[in-house]
């Protein structure tokens, strides 16, 4: 028998001083049975880092041809395509051809570094690609915060991110491996 998704209720308050974006988002997130707590929190972090009134979570792991998050224009074009993990060079190419901007958040420490060494030369032609690595220790610390109902506060300033949940706090430094032009 197939396992069901686990539902999480999240109140995500974003204070992004770098983009002058200040908003609270009430999210209901379905965690796929194969998704880890770490990946769930990376998904929430990616949402906070790219927060916009039209940003949406997609079906994610359950579909191969959709990103984890996307932002569409009012006329339906893909403005932003956000993927987590270590996509193949083919997936990166297809994503960059579908959306105006593509953001990839690799994580996993040494595994992410090996992936980047393998694909980085093939990504130089994509001016719309951003690759932002998340340190393994930071994402593991985020995973420790997971609960079925969360009130997260995310503050972003000068490329540094602070995530607060009750008394717990995790500070992350984003390592930009490739910047979109």
């Amino acid at each position: 028998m197939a396992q069901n998704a686990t539902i999480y209720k999240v109140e995500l308050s974003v204070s992004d001083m770098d983009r002058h974006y200040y908003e609270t988002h009430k999210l209901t997130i379905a965690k796929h049975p194969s998704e880890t707590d770490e990946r769930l929190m990376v998904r929430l972090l990616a949402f906070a880092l790219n927060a916009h009134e039209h940003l949406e979570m997609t079906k994610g792991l359950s579909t191969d041809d959709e990103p984890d998050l996307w932002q569409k224009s009012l006329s339906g074009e893909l403005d932003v395509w956000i993927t987590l993990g270590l996509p193949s060079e083919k997936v990166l190419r297809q994503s960059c051809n579908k959306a105006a901007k593509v953001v990839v958040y690799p994580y996993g420490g040494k595994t992410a570094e090996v992936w980047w060494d393998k694909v980085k030369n093939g990504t130089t032609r994509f001016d719309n690609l951003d690759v932002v690595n998340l340190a393994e220790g930071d994402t593991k610390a985020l995973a420790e915060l997971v609960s079925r109902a969360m009130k997260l506060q995310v503050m972003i300033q000068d490329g540094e991110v602070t995530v607060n949940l009750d008394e717990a706090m995790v500070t992350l430094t984003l390592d930009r491996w490739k910047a979109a032009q």
Side-chain angles (χ1 to χ4, degrees):
M1 179 183 267
Q3 289 181 309
N4 292 329
T6 306
I7 303 300
Y8 290 78
K9 297 285 188 177
V10 181
E11 184 177 298
L12 179 65
S13 296
V14 179
S15 299
D16 188 338
M17 272 64 98
D18 295 345
R19 295 187 305 136
H20 305 291
Y21 182 89
Y22 310 93
E23 203 63 53
T24 297
H25 299 268
K26 293 189 184 292
L27 305 170
T28 300
I29 301 173
K31 179 182 166 195
H32 192 274
S34 67
E35 186 173 27
T36 63
D37 288 346
E38 181 180 22
R39 189 176 193 289
L40 174 75
M41 292 304 286
V42 169
R43 214 166 18 129
L44 280 168
L45 177 64
F47 190 98
L49 292 170
N50 297 279
H52 185 276
E53 65 180 317
H54 299 297
L55 185 65
E56 300 175 14
M57 293 203 181
T58 65
K59 294 176 185 168
L61 287 175
S62 59
T63 56
D64 290 335
D65 59 344
E66 287 185 2
D68 294 285
L69 302 122
W70 62 20
Q71 178 184 318
K72 291 185 176 182
S73 68
L74 294 175
S75 57
E77 289 94 17
L78 277 169
D79 288 335
V80 183
W81 177 289
I82 300 167
T83 300
L84 312 177
L86 313 173
S88 69
E89 199 170 329
K90 177 184 175 187
V91 169
L92 288 173
R93 183 181 65 252
Q94 290 171 341
S95 304
C96 288
N97 289 330
K98 290 179 183 177
K101 181 178 181 184
V102 175
V103 185
V104 179
Y105 291 100
Y107 63 98
K110 188 68 175 162
T111 308
E113 292 171 19
V114 169
W115 166 82
W116 182 239
D117 284 341
K118 181 180 171 190
V119 302
K120 70 180 168 187
N121 290 336
T123 66
T124 55
R125 67 181 185 267
F126 302 122
D127 292 339
N128 60 336
L129 176 63
D130 238 357
V131 180
V132 182
N133 184 51
L134 304 171
E136 186 173 24
D138 293 347
T139 58
K140 297 278 187 210
L142 281 177
E144 298 294 317
L145 301 178
V146 171
S147 67
R148 295 281 297 275
M150 296 181 274
K151 284 189 175 187
L152 291 170
Q153 297 166 340
V154 179
M155 188 176 84
I156 304 160
Q157 184 173 18
D158 299 327
E160 190 170 282
V161 182
T162 305
V163 179
N164 292 300
L165 176 68
D166 300 325
E167 301 299 314
M169 181 175 81
V170 176
T171 302
L172 305 99
T173 302
L174 306 176
D175 186 9
R176 190 167 305 278
W177 285 349
K178 182 179 184 331
Q181 305 294 319

